Amino acid sequence: MPPTAGCGPVPGGGQDAAVVWRNRALRLLDHVPLPIAVVEFGGRVLIVNRAMAAEFGLLPGQLHHRKILEFFTLRDSDTLQALADAVRLHRRSQYPARVSWTPVGGGERYGEMTVDLVADTPEQTPNLLLSLRTVEAPREASPGPRAEVSPVEARILAAAARGATTAQIAREIGLTADGVNYHLARLSRRWRVPNRTALVARAYATGVLAAGTWPPEPA
């Protein structure tokens, strides 16, 4: 297994002592149940413990020199830029990244990868210490309950979705302009939205207006 940058010589010992301590550290990692890996900044795997390799039904040595993103899908597009900025500015901190992967048993899993930048000196290009924590799969958004509106309110919303002005809506519905504004204001307060555009969007999202039809009409 290749030595990693960021692992300096053992004080008071020679090369043999360094190898002994390194092997002890690797054995300790193998007893940690949390999946852990050390990778180069470019993503090449240097060290993985058994828990990490077991996610893919492999032995630790079978992941060496592979790219970590062969195994994980990064779901935070800003993480790589944040890491690049950290290296450029010599920052050493933790960076969480949402990831997904397909374990040996099949079926996509989701988790959070904590990334620590480790190096002996600030000037040295750091390695990445990765620790993986599994989380529940993100739930797909389900449609909320249909909003309760009166037939008049539904017709006003449909007309607003077509781009009709207040005066045009009033003539179509048989109300005064003040009456139209009264209903729109009530809907805005009830749904806690700031304007007519948001009202129309909420009407589609809650099923008040029929999806996929033009001109817009109540569902």
Side-chain angles (χ1 to χ4, degrees):
M1 190 178 299
T4 65
C7 295
V10 177
Q15 183 65 28
D16 290 342
V19 171
V20 169
W21 281 106
R22 182 172 177 278
N23 289 339
R24 287 178 181 176
L26 293 179
R27 286 198 295 271
L28 285 173
L29 277 180
D30 277 341
H31 287 85
V32 175
L34 186 70
I36 294 174
V38 178
V39 306
E40 292 178 341
F41 186 74
R44 186 171 67 94
V45 175
L46 298 172
I47 300 171
V48 292
N49 68 349
R50 290 180 182 176
M52 180 70 84
E55 287 290 327
F56 307 98
L58 300 172
L59 297 173
Q62 293 176 291
L63 274 73
H64 293 162
H65 308 299
R66 304 277 296 274
K67 290 285 190 178
I68 194 67
L69 292 182
E70 291 180 32
F71 301 94
F72 292 95
T73 298
L74 187 63
R75 306 185 75 86
D76 286 321
S77 58
D78 294 335
T79 301
L80 294 178
Q81 184 59 51
L83 292 173
D85 292 342
V87 171
R88 178 173 56 84
L89 299 172
H90 305 300
R91 293 173 180 165
R92 297 293 182 266
S93 186
Q94 288 187 339
Y95 297 85
R98 292 180 301 116
V99 295
S100 62
W101 69 99
T102 303
V104 63
E108 192 170 26
R109 298 182 71 179
Y110 297 84
E112 182 177 88
M113 189 87 79
T114 300
V115 184
D116 286 271
L117 283 72
V118 293
D120 286 336
T121 65
E123 294 75 22
Q124 193 176 33
T125 299
N127 288 331
L128 308 180
L129 174 62
L130 312 178
S131 56
L132 179 66
R133 180 176 64 88
T134 302
V135 299
E136 290 186 8
R139 297 178 180 176
E140 293 185 3
S142 56
R146 181 171 175 177
E148 292 297 327
V149 298
S150 69
V152 169
E153 289 170 335
R155 291 176 63 195
I156 289 173
L157 288 167
R162 293 196 302 271
T165 65
T166 299
Q168 291 169 334
I169 295 173
R171 288 194 296 271
E172 179 179 334
I173 306 300
L175 297 173
T176 64
D178 286 342
V180 172
N181 287 330
Y182 168 77
H183 283 289
L184 291 172
R186 283 190 62 192
L187 285 167
S188 295
R189 289 194 298 271
R190 189 189 314 162
W191 290 351
R192 298 180 182 178
V193 296
N195 52 47
R196 190 174 300 194
T197 300
L199 277 176
V200 170
R202 180 71 183 268
Y204 276 113
T206 54
V208 171
L209 298 180
T213 61
W214 188 266
E217 60 183 37

